[in-house]
């Protein structure tokens, strides 16, 4: 069992930046998939950014955030981060960190698997991000 505790978020004006953190209780954050989702009012939960073993593994981003958001891992701290830059009003929503059980590399090679909420076994409590125009 893995507990995910999120921090960060808040309110910012358009063009500003925020960093979200996801602290995992697991013995390691390696060899499992982590994805940030967001729940936008009036829309279904959508995948924002995902990673498997950070820069030494694989990452994916939703088209809407490419070039603005960066997902990263700091294994020594058991923490996954989402750096959000050039924020837009449409980025407003509740953001969730999600993780799978230990998984083999390449087991989520398809994009629809990465960004399908049902893929994930563990979820953070969510944190609100509000971007004002």
């Amino acid at each position: 069992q893995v507990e995910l505790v999120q921090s960060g978020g808040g309110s910012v004006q358009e063009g500003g930046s925020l960093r979200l953190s996801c602290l995992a209780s697991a013995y390691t954050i390696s060899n499992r998939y982590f994805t940030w989702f967001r729940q936008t009012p009036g829309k279904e939960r959508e995948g924002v950014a995902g990673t498997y073993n950070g820069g030494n593994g694989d990452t994916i981003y939703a088209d809407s955030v490419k070039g603005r958001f960066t997902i990263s891992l700091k294994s020594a701290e058991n923490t996954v981060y989402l750096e959000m830059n050039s924020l837009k009003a449409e980025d407003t929503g509740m953001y969730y960190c999600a993780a799978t059980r230990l998984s083999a590399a390449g087991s989520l090679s398809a994009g629809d698997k990465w960004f399908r909420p049902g893929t994930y076994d563990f979820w953070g409590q969510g944190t609100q991000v509000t971007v004002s125009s």
Side-chain angles (χ1 to χ4, degrees):
Q1 191 71 26
V2 177
E3 293 185 13
L4 305 176
V5 180
Q6 299 178 217
S7 60
S11 298
V12 66
Q13 293 186 341
E14 285 189 322
S17 299
L18 288 171
R19 188 177 77 165
L20 306 182
S21 300
C22 178
L23 175 64
S25 66
Y27 60 90
T28 180
I29 59 173
S30 299
N31 301 328
R32 65 175 81 240
Y33 290 85
F34 282 88
T35 292
W36 290 94
F37 291 83
R38 68 184 175 196
Q39 186 77 53
T40 302
K43 296 183 179 180
E44 69 275 8
R45 187 170 298 185
E46 62 176 343
V48 174
T51 188
Y52 182 91
N53 289 340
N56 296 124
D58 199 12
T59 59
I60 58 169
Y61 294 93
D63 288 341
S64 61
V65 306
K66 286 181 179 177
R68 300 188 298 117
F69 290 13
T70 303
I71 187 169
S72 62
L73 293 86
K74 186 167 288 186
S75 297
E77 298 177 359
N78 257 29
T79 302
V80 180
Y81 298 95
L82 183 67
E83 185 74 36
M84 303 182 291
N85 299 310
S86 301
L87 283 161
K88 304 174 181 179
E90 51 263 43
D91 294 318
T92 294
M94 184 72 72
Y95 284 71
Y96 298 89
C97 176
T100 64
R101 297 180 174 91
L102 292 173
S103 302
S107 60
L108 291 182
S109 59
D112 61 340
K113 296 290 187 179
W114 279 90
F115 283 165
R116 189 177 69 184
T119 295
Y120 296 87
D121 303 291
F122 311 106
W123 291 83
Q125 80 278 17
T127 185
Q128 180 68 34
V129 171
T130 301
V131 184
S132 301
S133 61

